[in-house]
Amino acid sequence: MGPLPRTLELFYDVLSPYSWLGFEVLCRYQNIWNIKLQLRPSLIAGIMKDSGNKPPALLPRKAQYLRQDIKLLRQHFQIPIQFPKDFFSVILEKGSLSAMRFLTALSLEHPEMLEKVSRELWMRVWSRDEDITEPQSILAAAEKAGMTTEQAQGILEKISTPKAFGLPITVAHVDGQTHMLFGSDRMELLAYLLGEKWMGPVPPAMNARL
Amino acid sequence: MGPLPRTLELFYDVLSPYSWLGFEVLCRYQNIWNIKLQLRPSLIAGIMKDSGNKPPALLPRKAQYLRQDIKLLRQHFQIPIQFPKDFFSVILEKGSLSAMRFLTALSLEHPEMLEKVSRELWMRVWSRDEDITEPQSILAAAEKAGMTTEQAQGILEKISTPKAFGLPITVAHVDGQTHMLFGSDRMELLAYLLGEKWMGPVPPAMNARL
């Protein structure tokens, strides 16, 4: 028995093409070097905000350089990386929030699938110019990576948030129907939907306990 | 046996005071009404971005209204809600990314702790004007809510990202030391750190497989 493998943690976002390069290189070396690779999906938007740094593509000169750089790296790394057509919309408007939340949940629930699903998401956004923001896009990536529809759907449900304009949102499932209520001032309406009695924000059962 | 409980999903962010109101009311009613309450931590920043909506506090008139509204609601709801002193910094600059990632991971790994830890985070930011962005703040909330230090630390490690200016980041743990490498072009340096051989981005073992 040789020495214990060293742990390597790789923090990445599928929105970042350079993350993809690092990811593939470490995946290739994980069975060559004496390492234990731990994949850590992370939201790049949060990091950029935290540091005050700007994505390189936002600076025009850097963006030009980036295109050339990626073209060369594609060959050298043998990774089918390709600029999305509407680059700014993909990176700045659409982002990767849902995809990265999906990968974070995956790393907790099915860590053995993380490598393949991450790669599939990069193939979508950074090779085939496909969407990664819609639930069906993420499902497609998960299934292509070998997850069952049930597994993928299960994760997706846990991370999904209804499209709305703020929080809190209450989603009530009543008699096969789904009702979405926005705000903390819809609780009386909620009681009505449920056929329950509204007793104000501090119900008597709770008063008794105080 | 009565009818089956209806499922209620509550989507919330601990940065949102109105989310807190909805949360407490539904927690109070969860044993009074015939419901099954499912807590869904969600990042409000993502929702706002998605919808193009602005947090109410960003609009000066709304901000003024908000202060009065919260003061009244505090009494009516009997929730010790209190404006943080430096409101703008807390909401706009500091945000809740780490706290909400912690709660998301918690909902997958220790769902039974979700209610108490969420409440503790609200108590910090929206009652006692305490930080919720630093790892030690989140740890303190988790421990106060009844988690063991090991449990909380375990979750925190899974969601933590090193402070840096972009991705990918590789963290190598070698001989008790931690090295952080930024970028996909530091792999040769990584090999050096590990005492392994760098064979370029497409190592021979992989070539053989192609």
Side-chain angles (χ1 to χ4, degrees), chain A:
Chain A
M1 234 179 77
L4 284 174
R6 276 76 48 96
T7 298
L8 283 193
E9 297 172 277
L10 178 72
F11 296 85
Y12 64 97
D13 186 318
V14 296
L15 215 51
S16 150
Y18 295 100
S19 286
W20 193 11
L21 303 179
F23 169 89
E24 292 297 350
V25 168
L26 291 184
C27 287
R28 289 167 186 176
Y29 275 93
Q30 65 184 327
N31 298 317
I32 301 177
W33 292 347
N34 183 32
I35 55 172
K36 185 168 177 277
L37 180 59
Q38 297 203 316
L39 299 176
R40 304 277 194 232
S42 307
L43 199 64
I44 200 168
I47 294 174
M48 291 291 182
K49 197 179 165 227
D50 196 46
S51 68
N53 201 357
K54 279 192 180 171
L58 280 190
L59 310 165
R61 283 199 195 160
K62 268 200 188 173
Q64 186 56 29
Y65 175 77
L66 196 64
R67 282 186 182 270
Q68 291 304 320
D69 195 39
I70 291 284
K71 214 183 257 179
L72 266 177
L73 289 166
R74 172 192 166 94
Q75 296 169 24
H76 184 51
F77 279 75
Q78 296 185 27
I79 295 171
I81 198 168
Q82 194 103 33
F83 255 72
K85 248 188 191 163
D86 190 353
F87 176 73
F88 282 90
S89 152
V90 166
I91 301 300
L92 297 181
E93 286 159 28
K94 299 179 84 185
S96 61
L97 185 67
S98 306
M100 297 316 293
R101 294 187 74 193
F102 188 88
L103 292 179
T104 301
L106 205 60
S107 74
L108 298 167
E109 301 234 315
H110 305 285
E112 75 285 358
M113 298 306 303
L114 196 50
E115 179 182 331
K116 285 189 174 166
V117 179
S118 301
R119 182 175 292 118
E120 227 3 88
L121 286 166
W122 265 308
M123 284 299 290
R124 289 187 73 90
V125 64
W126 271 105
S127 185
R128 299 193 303 259
D129 201 0
E130 292 168 356
D131 173 80
I132 57 162
T133 64
E134 296 297 326
Q136 57 268 37
S137 308
I138 295 173
L139 269 186
E143 286 177 33
K144 196 151 183 193
M147 291 181 75
T148 67
T149 314
E150 290 71 38
Q151 274 183 330
Q153 198 89 53
I155 299 273
L156 207 54
E157 271 160 24
K158 283 187 178 156
I159 61 145
S160 69
T161 307
K163 285 204 183 292
F165 33 87
L167 293 176
I169 297 160
T170 307
V171 177
H173 302 270
V174 183
D175 299 332
Q177 288 207 305
T178 298
H179 304 269
M180 193 181 96
L181 301 169
F182 170 67
S184 57
D185 52 2
R186 289 294 177 275
M187 295 305 167
E188 188 166 1
L189 190 58
L190 175 64
Y192 170 75
L193 269 177
L194 293 168
E196 298 277 5
K197 195 177 167 195
W198 174 241
M199 294 171 278
V202 190
M206 198 212 155
N207 268 330
R209 263 186 285 147
L210 287 178

Side-chain angles (χ1 to χ4, degrees), chain B residues 116-181:
Chain B
K116 285 190 175 164
V117 179
S118 300
R119 181 174 292 120
E120 224 7 85
L121 287 166
W122 266 307
M123 284 298 291
R124 289 188 73 90
V125 65
W126 270 106
S127 186
R128 298 192 304 257
D129 201 359
E130 293 170 355
D131 173 79
I132 57 161
T133 65
E134 297 297 326
Q136 57 268 37
S137 309
I138 294 173
L139 269 185
E143 286 177 34
K144 197 152 181 192
M147 290 182 75
T148 67
T149 314
E150 292 70 36
Q151 274 183 330
Q153 198 88 54
I155 299 272
L156 207 55
E157 271 162 24
K158 284 186 178 154
I159 61 146
S160 70
T161 306
K163 287 205 180 294
F165 34 87
L167 294 175
I169 297 160
T170 308
V171 177
H173 302 269
V174 184
D175 299 332
Q177 287 208 304
T178 299
H179 304 269
M180 191 181 95
L181 302 168

